[in-house]
Amino acid sequence: MKYLPELFAANARWAEEMRAVDPGFFAGLAALQNPGYLWIGCSDSRVPANQITGLKPGEIFVHRNVANVVVHTDLNCLSVMQYAIEVLKVQHIIVCGHYGCGGVRAALEGPSLGLIDNWLRHIQDARDRHLDFITALPDDATRWQALCELNVIEQVRNVARTTLVGDAWQRGQSLILHGWIYGLKDGRLQDLQTSLKSSAELDTVIAEAVATVRSRYVTR
Ligand code: CO
């Protein structure tokens, strides 16, 4: 093996261990995947969906991008969502952000980083929606932390407003959206109380979740 032999060695060990625990594991997965969840998370290497939720291969369908952003023109994210909702029929869509998100910090700080500025613009839209609150926070670290939380809530709103989710709810498909945030320092997930199961609840649930976030911070 010329390149990265350690990764292939680790992979061989892992496959053997999985087979030892369950000899039919790979054969079962090769025939069918039946995940109950779609995860929309940050690409950050420290936030691996399967490990932090204790889920095995086959149990969670995953889409990740910088700062877990859901944009209504992003064919990549929308295609993942369509497959998850219409084919896999996942029961839950989890948008998971994390504290210490570099994408969120870059969006707050604003210096040009090139192409990615266009992506970060979507996080700045989330910031601008709460600009009075964000600017009233006492320091940059607090603003960063609060925007990590509010960005999750805004992206849940975006998920809820896709035609894919609206149509699923319209035809009576059971689908619940959630907004979570992960702590790099303690490895713990926190529910941001944005769980939604119909379009009718959207505005109320999002407003309450935003109010809950705001209430945890002291502003100037
Ligand atoms: Co991140």
Side-chain angles (χ1 to χ4, degrees), residues 14-106:
W14 172 79
E16 273 316 307
E17 283 164 17
M18 296 300 283
R19 237 193 307 267
V21 174
D22 177 1
F25 182 71
F26 291 111
L29 281 184
L32 177 74
Q33 69 162 333
N34 188 23
Y37 320 91
L38 165 62
W39 176 275
I40 300 176
C42 184
S43 298
D44 193 300
S45 64
R46 298 164 294 181
V47 194
N50 282 77
Q51 279 100 327
I52 66 179
T53 53
L55 292 170
K56 295 199 290 284
E59 294 180 332
I60 190 163
F61 201 63
V62 173
H63 177 77
R64 290 167 68 180
N65 61 39
V66 171
N68 42 271
V69 171
V70 175
V71 184
H72 293 123
T73 51
D74 177 2
L75 282 178
N76 183 353
C77 183
L78 293 177
S79 301
V80 168
M81 284 179 59
Q82 181 177 19
Y83 192 72
I85 294 168
E86 296 181 5
V87 180
L88 299 172
K89 297 201 163 42
V90 297
Q91 305 277 307
H92 302 272
I93 299 179
I94 300 154
V95 176
C96 187
H98 65 103
Y99 294 116
C101 183
V104 172
R105 186 176 59 188

Side-chain angles (χ1 to χ4, degrees), residues 7-217:
L7 297 189
F8 284 90
N11 166 251
R13 281 195 303 276
W14 172 79
E16 273 316 307
E17 283 164 17
M18 296 300 283
R19 237 193 307 267
V21 174
D22 177 1
F25 182 71
F26 291 111
L29 281 184
L32 177 74
Q33 69 162 333
N34 188 23
Y37 320 91
L38 165 62
W39 176 275
I40 300 176
C42 184
S43 298
D44 193 300
S45 64
R46 298 164 294 181
V47 194
N50 282 77
Q51 279 100 327
I52 66 179
T53 53
L55 292 170
K56 295 199 290 284
E59 294 180 332
I60 190 163
F61 201 63
V62 173
H63 177 77
R64 290 167 68 180
N65 61 39
V66 171
N68 42 271
V69 171
V70 175
V71 184
H72 293 123
T73 51
D74 177 2
L75 282 178
N76 183 353
C77 183
L78 293 177
S79 301
V80 168
M81 284 179 59
Q82 181 177 19
Y83 192 72
I85 294 168
E86 296 181 5
V87 180
L88 299 172
K89 297 201 163 42
V90 297
Q91 305 277 307
H92 302 272
I93 299 179
I94 300 154
V95 176
C96 187
H98 65 103
Y99 294 116
C101 183
V104 172
R105 186 176 59 188
L108 269 176
E109 290 177 348
S112 179
L113 299 170
L115 173 73
I116 198 172
D117 291 358
N118 299 286
W119 186 253
L120 299 178
R121 203 66 76 210
H122 298 293
I123 309 166
Q124 291 167 344
D125 289 344
R127 173 201 62 193
D128 293 348
R129 242 185 141 116
H130 307 281
L131 200 55
D132 57 332
F133 165 69
I134 294 280
T135 48
L137 290 167
D139 53 68
D140 288 344
T142 311
R143 276 188 277 277
W144 185 15
Q145 180 180 324
L147 187 55
C148 287
E149 296 173 353
L150 291 171
N151 180 51
V152 169
I153 297 171
E154 290 302 329
Q155 304 313 325
V156 171
R157 189 203 308 263
N158 288 345
V159 171
R161 294 181 67 187
T162 58
T163 54
L164 293 164
V165 169
D167 291 349
W169 281 337
Q170 192 80 41
R171 62 178 176 263
Q173 185 173 338
S174 169
L175 182 64
I176 310 180
L177 315 184
H178 310 272
W180 295 355
I181 191 154
Y182 175 78
L184 296 175
K185 290 178 179 166
D186 63 5
R188 297 299 295 267
L189 286 165
Q190 191 185 326
D191 189 333
L192 289 172
Q193 310 293 331
T194 63
S195 294
L196 270 172
K197 51 185 179 336
S198 72
S199 301
E201 301 174 316
L202 175 61
D203 291 339
T204 316
V205 168
I206 295 289
E208 283 174 6
V210 168
T212 303
V213 165
R214 287 181 176 225
S215 71
R216 290 206 300 267
Y217 291 87

